[in-house]
Amino acid sequence: MSSEQLQADQVPTKAVTAYKVRNMAFFYGTKKALDNISVDLPAKSVTAIIGPSGCGKSTFIKALNRIAEAETKVRIDGQIELFGQNIYDPKVNITRLRRRVGMVFQRPNPFPMTIYDNITYGPRVFGFKGNYDEIVETSLRRAALWNEVKDKVKTSALGLSGGQQQRLCIARSLAVNPDVLLMDEPCSALDPIATLRIEELIETLRDQFTIIIVTHNMQQAGRVSQNTLFFNTDESRIGQLVENGPTKEIFFSPKDKRTEDYISGRFG
Amino acid sequence: MQTQPSNQLEAPENLTAGGGSLQPDTIARGVFLVAALAVVGTLFWMAFVVARDAMPAISKFGLGFLVNSTWDPVVEEFGGLTFVFGTIASSAIAMLLAVPVGLGIAIFLTEDFLPEWILTPIAFMVELLAAIPSVVYGLWGIFVMIPIVRAVETFLNQTLGWIQIGGKSIFGVPYGPGLLTAGVLLAIMILPTIASISRDVLKAIPRSLRNGSLALGATRWETIFRVLLPAASSGVVGACILGLGRALGETMAVTMVIGNTPQIDTSIFAPAYTIAALLANEFAEANTAVHIGALFFAALLLFVITLLVNIVAELIVRRVSLERN
Amino acid sequence: MTTSLRPEQPVSDDLTSPLEPGRALFTTSMTTLSVVFTFFAIIPLFSVLIYVLIQGFTSLSPDIFTKLPAPAGTPGGGFGNAIQGTLLMVGIAALISVPFGVLSGIFLSEYARDDRGIIEVIRFGVNVLAGVPSIVIGVFAYGVVVLSTKTFSAYAGGFALAILMLPIIVRTTEEALKLVPWELRLGSLGLGADRFNTTARVIVPAALPGIITGVMLAVSRAAGETAPLLFTALFSQYWIDKVGQPTASLAVLIFNYATTPYADLQRKAWGASLLLLILVLAISIISRYVFRRRF
Ligand SMILES: Nc1ncnc2c1ncn2[C@@H]1O[C@H](COP(=O)(O)OP(=O)(O)OP(=O)(O)O)[C@@H](O)[C@H]1O
Ligand SMILES: [Mg+2]
């Protein structure tokens, strides 16, 4: 059974909500970084998160796979549900959550091992018994990297270019067949051509995965996303969700003055 | 305070100076350089002196020194085999114990298992272990460790004494001092080296690798074993080799607990002897030229072994730190 | 076990089911193991500290500092001569090693930019020198000093300790200088001072506390070293009247007395250990505070 088929069986169809966030507040130690966030993130589509630097975009998506707590002491109030399950419920097993929610970071972070081993890392950790070669090929194809690396999958991943490394990291996440793919400014360390590649890739992944992407690039948000979240901060330095909705509306008829200012400023 | 108006005029000249002209700056640099070269030169001087004074013994015994197990100053027959054996065996025992324990500590003290306020003092205490003089370890070994080892040996002999090799219990005669005692004490002494350097290496691994693994759904220990340790492997190996270098050359503590008997026994509890302990015990009393020469030969052997080990460790550690920059 | 890559259960059941038993076992056993290991490493430290403290404390008295060793078997006496000898030899060692060590440290730190190649070689050599067993250094000192002067002496012991101290002083000096903010150099150079003046008048004074700490660290390590003294300074039962004769030291005293059967001498060994330990640990703690890293 190919992973594509598996995928198809499980797809929650149109307009299903992947994440339901309610009254969420986020604290680094005692410092509040996000307050009063309530939003639904639809499944099987791309949601972009935009906003000025320091407004809590990374913080927000790091709360979605609970990776924030691996870095420092954090506290989350309110609720975040993934397909109806509160992910901060004490019963939730964090490794199972992260297996369903892949993450791609700002800087490519391939492990210092072969391309092959990078891809099979997740499956190996989970004790997957099956055809690893197939996983490697499928994942690399999905990440549009197969043609470039098919002859050197047994060489070190560190030998790839930055853009290739980032696609490898995407492939690595896809190898465990997640429901959700979080991306924190995945193109900010890449050149325009590599960026274009990743955008095309996101396009093809859109109807198989729930993709949530943080970006500073308005054009990119406009090109790849169906929905957009605009975060902002005021003097309190606490991040808030100012506005969210279909990307077209946010871009062309924002309801909030701050959204309009930010977007026109960024396009200007 | 030294700036005078005229300095501004001289400035262009100063900028181009440095070649042949003997400026204070050039002289100072020369002095610093000579001092630094002298420090490094000590190594060569040392090698020369030890080799020179070992010459009589080298020409007399040659490489046979390494395979002869008789050491008898009375008949002036000198062979180093038992000492080489003791040196290697005690260090091997030490490594066997100290590597896993040291690595375990390094991991435990890096990977967010403990809150900062308890982690820092523990890490510091482990490092303090390295500052305790080795003769103090030896003293502690004699009065604290040896009685314990003796009790354990007696107990093992009573319960499992029937396990024998060549008609002798493998647990030996319960003296207390012996190869195992020395190995354990050495392990304690090299633990801080291995633990602290490995900890530095682990700490230097970028956070992004950890996060990459955790974000894929790996547990902390899976991340440690599958990503962090492989990434840190050469640095950790360097740390272990440095530890080995220390163990091979460690003198006082070993001399005080190994039993100082030149033999190769079937029991790891049995007394043994190391090159360092031999030098410690016999150098002051040796008075014949052959005896002194043989001791220099042994010292040269130890010098060369530890030099090689340290150079390898240094190269590995250095390569690791270069890769990181 | 797992043959499909995506869990079959609904999301909520999947997320709330526990970690697979094998992985959970791995986690618990490894965590337990590392706790146990850390515990094991700390036991000897405490044991050494406690024994030295208790045994050493009961044997301390003013006599220790002012009297000579009593003949074996008779109680009383002290080891004033050993304290004297240690101070003397460490002093000689410092006289030799401080100039070379500090100057080398300055070279490594302040001339690092234009002399890369040679700096690498020197740093390599210093690290290798630091790894030479102290007993081999003793053998070297024996070959250089004892064989040519035909006598054991405080000179020979001091020479051996000097070589032992060298790498520590070089490294700590380099580190102390590197802790001086870069702007200070730029400031001085910007005023038109040359590099020597910058180093001598600005950088070294600013780094002086660190350099002194480093020297103290080296001194404390040397004071605890036994192996290089065994057959260079040997030992002596008497006060020092000249430098060119066998000289007692605390470290060798511990070794000699620990291996005798006399309880009274053994107690003195603990007392001497306590003195050394206080010196070594206090200076290690200070140096850790100054450098924020270990040497
Ligand atoms: N580990 C942390 N500890 C404490 N505060 C943090 C931590 N990480 C982020 N913050 C703070 O939280 C706020 C939000 O940071 P975050 O990284 O989420 O912003 P961002 O929107 O992603 O910014 P950028 O666009 O620059 O990436 C900032 O004020 C930041 O200083
Ligand atoms: Mg960010």
Side-chain angles (χ1 to χ4, degrees):
Chain A
M1 172 161 37
S2 88
S3 25
E4 248 99 346
Q5 282 170 308
L6 250 178
Q7 179 71 36
D9 305 339
Q10 299 269 316
V11 197
T13 38
K14 284 284 166 213
V16 171
T17 302
Y19 277 105
K20 198 166 118 191
V21 183
R22 288 295 175 270
N23 300 322
M24 195 263 274
F26 189 107
F27 300 83
Y28 285 110
T30 54
K31 181 184 170 290
K32 196 185 250 185
L34 287 173
D35 194 19
N36 196 24
I37 312 282
S38 294
V39 65
D40 286 347
L41 307 177
K44 308 278 162 183
S45 77
V46 180
T47 303
I49 301 180
I50 60 172
S53 191
C55 65
K57 305 180 296 293
S58 302
T59 304
F60 179 71
I61 71 164
K62 283 196 237 161
L64 299 181
N65 69 342
R66 297 184 59 178
I67 196 81
E69 63 205 71
E71 288 175 13
T72 45
K73 204 164 163 35
V74 302
R75 196 182 96 218
I76 285 103
D77 290 349
Q79 275 220 324
I80 303 179
E81 284 181 5
L82 175 62
F83 296 120
Q85 170 64 46
N86 176 7
I87 60 169
Y88 284 91
D89 186 315
K91 287 206 300 282
V92 163
N93 187 296
I94 203 162
T95 65
R96 290 184 186 273
L97 169 69
R98 291 183 186 148
R99 175 173 176 177
R100 285 184 173 268
V101 184
M103 185 164 203
V104 177
F105 297 81
Q106 186 164 351
R107 307 203 138 268
N109 59 348
F111 302 133
M113 31 176 115
T114 62
I115 295 172
Y116 191 96
D117 288 346
N118 263 279
I119 304 281
T120 56
Y121 182 81
R124 272 185 291 135
V125 163
F126 303 134
F128 172 78
K129 301 259 179 336
N131 191 341
Y132 278 92
D133 293 347
E134 189 191 313
I135 292 180
V136 171
E137 182 172 342
T138 316
S139 309
L140 285 171
R141 278 190 193 284
R142 281 167 138 187
L145 190 58
W146 175 251
N147 286 331
E148 289 157 66
V149 303
K150 61 172 181 254
D151 300 323
K152 51 176 183 180
V153 290
K154 290 288 169 68
T155 63
S156 171
L158 301 180
L160 298 176
S161 72
Q164 290 174 324
Q165 288 189 0
Q166 194 64 303
R167 277 179 282 148
L168 174 66
C169 291
I170 294 174
R172 186 174 70 185
S173 297
L174 297 181
V176 296
N177 235 326
D179 298 313
V180 181
L181 201 53
L182 307 174
M183 299 178 156
D184 191 353
E185 303 186 35
C187 304
S188 64
L190 307 182
D191 61 58
I193 294 180
T195 300
L196 192 67
R197 276 286 176 70
I198 306 259
E199 287 181 12
E200 288 166 1
L201 170 58
I202 292 173
E203 193 75 37
T204 66
L205 297 174
R206 183 175 73 206
D207 39 68
Q208 304 164 49
F209 301 95
T210 304
I211 296 177
I212 299 165
I213 177 171
V214 174
T215 176
H216 268 142
N217 181 330
M218 293 303 111
Q219 284 88 345
Q220 182 170 72
R223 281 193 297 266
V224 301
S225 73
Q226 285 73 59
N227 291 286
T228 296
L229 274 51
F230 173 63
F231 281 71
N232 202 359
T233 49
D234 47 24
E235 312 78 56
S236 66
R237 318 257 309 113
I238 299 170
Q240 292 158 329
L241 175 59
V242 174
E243 192 169 349
N244 75 88
T247 301
K248 283 205 185 69
E249 283 173 31
I250 297 279
F251 275 51
F252 299 113
S253 49
K255 294 189 196 68
D256 197 294
K257 182 82 173 63
R258 288 168 293 177
T259 317
E260 192 181 339
D261 289 349
Y262 180 74
I263 288 172
S264 55
R266 297 293 287 190
F267 271 117
Chain B
M1 44 189 132
Q2 286 286 309
T3 28
Q4 284 147 11
S6 65
N7 268 16
Q8 286 181 331
L9 294 174
E10 282 168 22
E13 195 185 320
N14 267 337
L15 284 177
T16 51
S21 60
L22 269 188
Q23 305 233 331
D25 222 12
T26 321
I27 300 173
R29 180 182 170 276
V31 171
F32 294 139
L33 177 62
V34 166
L37 290 178
V39 171
V40 178
T42 317
L43 267 178
F44 293 94
W45 188 15
M46 201 179 295
F48 167 74
V49 168
V50 177
R52 177 197 66 193
D53 292 336
M55 235 32 232
I58 296 177
S59 54
K60 182 147 185 235
F61 305 114
L63 283 179
F65 188 77
L66 286 177
V67 292
N68 184 355
S69 61
T70 309
W71 181 274
D72 190 345
V74 180
V75 300
E76 298 204 332
E77 184 182 351
F78 297 103
L81 182 63
T82 53
F83 307 101
V84 173
F85 165 79
T87 303
I88 292 172
S90 58
S91 296
I93 296 172
M95 292 297 280
L96 230 51
L97 295 170
V99 169
V101 176
L103 212 51
I105 296 171
I107 291 170
F108 194 56
L109 296 182
T110 342
E111 296 302 319
D112 310 333
F113 285 95
L114 295 171
E116 194 67 28
W117 62 269
I118 183 158
L119 191 146
T120 316
I122 292 187
F124 185 48
M125 278 192 275
V126 171
E127 284 170 16
L128 272 191
L129 276 167
I132 297 175
S134 94
V135 72
V136 174
Y137 276 114
L139 182 69
W140 177 80
I142 290 180
F143 293 102
V144 181
M145 260 183 73
I146 285 185
I148 297 175
V149 175
R150 195 180 296 139
V152 171
E153 256 181 289
T154 310
F155 172 78
L156 287 176
N157 263 317
Q158 279 160 0
T159 50
L160 299 168
W162 47 268
I163 308 177
Q164 299 187 334
I165 296 179
K168 277 191 338 188
S169 158
I170 60 163
F171 303 111
V173 183
Y175 296 117
L179 197 55
L180 184 68
T181 320
V184 173
L185 191 54
L186 275 177
I188 296 172
M189 298 179 69
I190 63 173
L191 199 65
T193 307
I194 296 178
S196 322
I197 300 179
S198 304
R199 179 164 180 251
D200 290 350
V201 176
L202 284 172
K203 265 170 110 173
I205 296 180
R207 177 114 236 159
S208 63
L209 283 187
R210 276 183 192 85
N211 284 353
S213 170
L214 293 177
L216 282 167
T219 63
R220 179 155 56 182
W221 278 106
E222 285 158 358
T223 303
I224 290 167
F225 272 85
R226 292 170 183 267
V227 177
L228 303 185
L229 285 181
S233 58
S234 44
V236 169
V237 169
C240 293
I241 299 179
L242 276 180
L244 175 65
R246 278 203 63 186
L248 290 168
E250 176 49 49
T251 311
M252 298 320 298
V254 174
T255 308
M256 292 161 90
V257 302
I258 200 169
N260 298 328
T261 312
Q263 61 177 8
I264 299 175
D265 200 278
T266 49
S267 165
I268 58 165
F269 284 94
Y273 220 149
T274 67
I275 299 178
L278 169 76
L279 301 173
N281 284 323
E282 294 199 359
F283 231 109
E285 269 127 52
N287 43 29
T288 67
V290 194
H291 192 183
I292 294 178
L295 289 172
F296 268 106
F297 195 176
L300 184 65
L301 215 55
L302 182 61
F303 186 42
V304 170
I305 295 172
T306 51
L307 211 57
L308 290 179
V309 168
N310 279 312
I311 288 175
V312 169
E314 188 57 32
L315 288 175
I316 292 177
V317 171
R318 171 160 307 219
R319 207 188 63 202
V320 172
S321 61
L322 283 183
E323 268 169 17
R324 217 174 281 139
N325 294 336
Chain C
M1 240 195 270
T2 326
T3 46
S4 108
L5 270 168
R6 185 185 304 227
E8 318 272 312
Q9 312 116 290
V11 173
S12 61
D13 290 358
D14 173 47
L15 290 190
T16 51
S17 46
L19 197 59
E20 292 87 339
R23 297 174 69 193
L25 180 69
F26 183 62
T27 298
T28 10
S29 52
M30 288 319 294
T31 307
T32 317
L33 209 60
S34 59
V35 173
V36 170
F37 281 174
T38 308
F39 191 65
F40 269 133
I42 293 176
I43 290 178
L45 178 69
F46 277 110
S47 177
V48 170
L49 292 183
I50 288 168
Y51 268 89
V52 173
L53 216 63
I54 293 174
Q55 303 273 14
F57 208 74
T58 56
S59 66
L60 285 188
S61 74
D63 282 358
I64 274 181
F65 300 94
T66 56
K67 295 223 165 101
L68 286 178
T74 50
F79 43 78
N81 61 331
I83 297 176
Q84 201 190 22
T86 291
L87 290 177
L88 173 67
M89 286 188 284
V90 167
I92 294 174
L95 279 181
I96 304 172
S97 60
V98 169
F100 283 102
V102 170
L103 292 178
S104 311
I106 293 175
F107 185 71
L108 289 186
S109 158
E110 301 305 305
Y111 293 79
R113 242 147 303 273
D114 27 85
D115 297 291
R116 270 237 144 275
I118 194 146
I119 295 264
E120 286 303 306
V121 171
I122 290 169
R123 200 169 284 143
F124 192 92
V126 169
N127 287 348
V128 172
L129 186 61
V132 174
S134 60
I135 188 91
V136 172
I137 292 177
V139 172
F140 169 53
Y142 179 92
V144 171
V145 186
V146 178
L147 281 186
S148 50
T149 59
K150 306 257 184 308
T151 173
F152 301 108
S153 65
Y155 292 128
F159 177 77
L161 295 184
I163 290 166
L164 226 132
M165 287 167 64
L166 266 179
I168 305 177
I169 297 181
V170 176
R171 289 183 191 174
T172 51
T173 302
E174 185 188 354
E175 187 68 19
L177 290 166
K178 283 191 171 154
L179 289 177
V180 175
W182 189 239
E183 294 76 52
L184 259 168
R185 296 179 175 81
L186 290 182
S188 172
L189 291 170
L191 282 174
D194 62 10
R195 189 155 53 174
F196 171 64
N197 274 304
T198 304
T199 304
R201 290 168 195 267
V202 181
I203 309 304
V204 171
L208 205 58
I211 295 177
I212 292 174
T213 309
V215 171
M216 276 168 34
L217 188 72
V219 162
S220 76
R221 291 284 159 82
E225 273 295 344
T226 314
L229 298 181
L230 286 172
F231 40 86
T232 51
L234 209 67
F235 196 69
S236 153
Q237 302 292 332
Y238 311 104
W239 296 105
I240 301 170
D241 48 30
K242 59 182 189 344
V243 184
Q245 67 183 13
T247 307
S249 59
L250 283 173
V252 175
L253 175 134
I254 298 172
F255 176 56
N256 287 349
Y257 287 7
T259 43
T260 62
Y262 304 105
D264 199 57
L265 293 185
Q266 292 171 357
R267 288 242 317 281
K268 292 221 167 52
W270 286 106
S273 297
L274 180 60
L275 291 186
L276 278 184
L277 211 61
I278 291 173
L279 175 77
V280 167
L281 293 189
I283 294 181
S284 292
I285 291 170
I286 294 173
S287 95
R288 178 59 186 226
Y289 178 77
V290 171
F291 295 113
R292 306 209 166 276
R293 55 168 283 197
R294 96 196 91 76
F295 282 97

